Amino acid sequence: MADIQWSDGAPIYRQLKDRVIAMMLDGVLKPGDALPSVRQVAAEYQLNPITVSRAYQELADEALVEKRRGLGMFVTDEASRKLLKSERERFLHDEWPAVAQRIERLGLSFEELLQAKENK
């Protein structure tokens, strides 16, 4: 799961869940892939197994992963489609208004934004 920097701004289980979601969106975890075991994640990041279980349970509740008895948790086939839709909606509703307002406040044009993206 790579290095994770925990912040004080959100519960650890939420940050872990968000990290798994990011890995799904980035294609690191694909449909059918197994998540690392609760015990493995807890040991690697020095977390309480209950914290890891809670993050995994929320992913299961949202049908992003499924538990296979005796095998572990696996990314569902529809996870990336569901995530992309919900993350787009969340961005447009929660994040975009502040970004758009800042763009307007700074007087940036669409062309300047595209140019800045190309220069990265």
Side-chain angles (χ1 to χ4, degrees), residues 31-48:
D33 284 353
L35 297 185
S37 73
V38 168
R39 200 173 298 170
Q40 180 183 351
V41 173
E44 186 172 342
Y45 298 106
Q46 300 178 337
L47 298 173
N48 186 319

Side-chain angles (χ1 to χ4, degrees), residues 58-69:
E58 285 201 3
L59 293 166
D61 290 347
E62 295 173 22
L64 300 175
V65 299
E66 61 187 1
K67 184 173 186 168
R68 297 182 189 163
R69 187 176 296 271

Side-chain angles (χ1 to χ4, degrees), residues 4-49:
I4 297 178
Q5 299 296 321
W6 307 115
S7 74
D8 294 334
I12 300 291
Y13 79 90
R14 182 62 143 151
Q15 294 176 58
L16 180 60
K17 176 187 170 190
D18 290 345
R19 177 68 188 135
V20 173
I21 286 172
M23 291 173 72
M24 290 177 185
L25 287 170
D26 292 343
V28 175
L29 287 172
K30 296 173 178 49
D33 284 353
L35 297 185
S37 73
V38 168
R39 200 173 298 170
Q40 180 183 351
V41 173
E44 186 172 342
Y45 298 106
Q46 300 178 337
L47 298 173
N48 186 319

Side-chain angles (χ1 to χ4, degrees), residues 2 4 6 19 26 30-31 37 47 49 59 62 70 75-77 90-91 93 96-97 100 102-103 107 109 113 116-117:
I4 297 178
W6 307 115
R19 177 68 188 135
D26 292 343
K30 296 173 178 49
S37 73
L47 298 173
L59 293 166
E62 295 173 22
V75 178
T76 61
D77 289 338
R90 186 177 67 78
F91 173 77
H93 183 266
W96 177 248
R102 183 155 170 87
I103 289 169
S109 69
L113 294 169
K117 181 184 182 295

Side-chain angles (χ1 to χ4, degrees), residues 90-106:
R90 186 177 67 78
F91 173 77
L92 290 172
H93 183 266
D94 298 341
E95 297 175 37
W96 177 248
V99 171
Q101 186 178 44
R102 183 155 170 87
I103 289 169
E104 188 176 318
R105 185 179 302 125
L106 296 173

